[in-house]
Amino acid sequence: MNNTGLFISFEGIDGAGKSTHISRLADAFQAGGRAVTVTREPGGTELAEKLRCLVLDDAMDPLTESLLIFAARRDHLLRVIAPALLRGDVVLCDRFTDATFAYQGAGRGFDLQVLATLERWVQSGEGLLGDPTGNQPMRPGIETVIEPHLTVWFDLPPEEAARRLAASRLPDRFESQPLAFFQRVTQGYAERQRSHAERFVRINAAQSREAVWRDALWVFVEKGWLPAAALA
Ligand code: TMP
């Protein structure tokens, strides 16, 4: 187990129950001596959290929504994710760009080609090692598109997610969408899994919480990122 930065994203429709598993994984990595950055999208920086409030609460068209989400992502990458990866942290990110393809692309029906262009612009390494305030010139020449090393998709049938959400807090603009929206979002995640099979792992989130946790843990143990003892 070496200490190069690891970027791990967690996905799933609303109600899939990612959050508790993310914080347990953070504890497991920390117990193994790793520095961990836990963060989320949209959000993770002061600016991105403001954009999150707009996206979750205010009515807007799908292009505006996509642009705000990618703007938040750019700031988040610059200020939090890229620096953490450079330090060698394990970055556990509650949602990332796969959510945009699933929600804005499959869910809202927004143009996937435009999303792919925005993904390339926003996640391009060029500038990501520069000054997040924009006062210093960017460091050119790094052309890799930053994306997660691993994406864990908590796959829960939309009908079950709706049952879980009905019993919880006041829904936001996404959580209040009809079942058909979440069926499309689920198809969107399945499509992302097919097109990014090398980094995508699907977990059956309809199981008991403990069974989901063991499946999640197993993914990390199998990769050699957590010790087998973590399963005990
Ligand atoms: P959360 O409640 O899991 O933090 O996610 C906030 C909401 O934002 C959730 O309903 C999914 C939505 N979302 C998108 O529509 N597109 C995105 O790119 C991201 C990251 C989240």
Side-chain angles (χ1 to χ4, degrees), residues 64-154:
T64 310
E65 189 173 282
S66 303
L67 291 171
L68 289 180
I69 286 170
F70 271 113
R73 182 161 299 137
R74 178 72 184 175
D75 195 57
H76 189 209
L77 274 165
L78 278 167
R79 292 179 190 274
V80 174
I81 297 176
L85 292 174
L86 285 173
R87 284 195 305 271
D89 282 17
V90 177
V91 176
L92 304 180
C93 191
D94 190 341
R95 301 189 185 281
F96 196 63
T97 303
D98 298 305
T100 318
F101 279 85
Y103 279 76
Q104 281 63 50
R108 301 258 196 248
F110 188 66
D111 190 323
L112 297 177
Q113 289 308 317
V114 174
L115 293 182
T117 302
L118 290 170
E119 178 184 32
R120 242 187 352 270
W121 281 0
V122 166
Q123 292 163 228
S124 150
E126 185 157 346
L128 282 178
L129 304 179
D131 172 10
T133 62
N135 293 330
Q136 297 293 321
M138 291 176 171
R139 273 206 252 164
I142 299 161
E143 271 157 31
T144 332
V145 173
I146 293 189
E147 60 170 21
H149 297 105
L150 171 72
T151 298
V152 182
W153 171 30
F154 293 93

Side-chain angles (χ1 to χ4, degrees), residues 6-14 16-29 36-42 73 81 90-100 102-103 148-155 189 199-203 212-213 215-217 219-220 225-226:
L6 274 180
F7 181 17
I8 299 151
S9 63
F10 299 86
E11 298 286 355
I13 57 174
D14 297 85
K18 307 169 259 101
S19 311
T20 35
H21 301 300
I22 295 173
S23 67
R24 284 178 85 172
L25 279 166
D27 292 344
F29 274 108
V36 178
T37 294
V38 178
T39 189
R40 69 171 180 181
E41 291 217 344
R73 182 161 299 137
I81 297 176
V90 177
V91 176
L92 304 180
C93 191
D94 190 341
R95 301 189 185 281
F96 196 63
T97 303
D98 298 305
T100 318
Y103 279 76
H149 297 105
L150 171 72
T151 298
V152 182
W153 171 30
F154 293 93
D155 185 19
Y189 277 128
R199 67 168 165 85
F200 234 94
V201 174
R202 176 190 168 276
I203 287 180
V212 173
W213 167 242
D215 282 3
L217 208 46
V219 170
F220 290 84
W225 294 347
L226 284 174

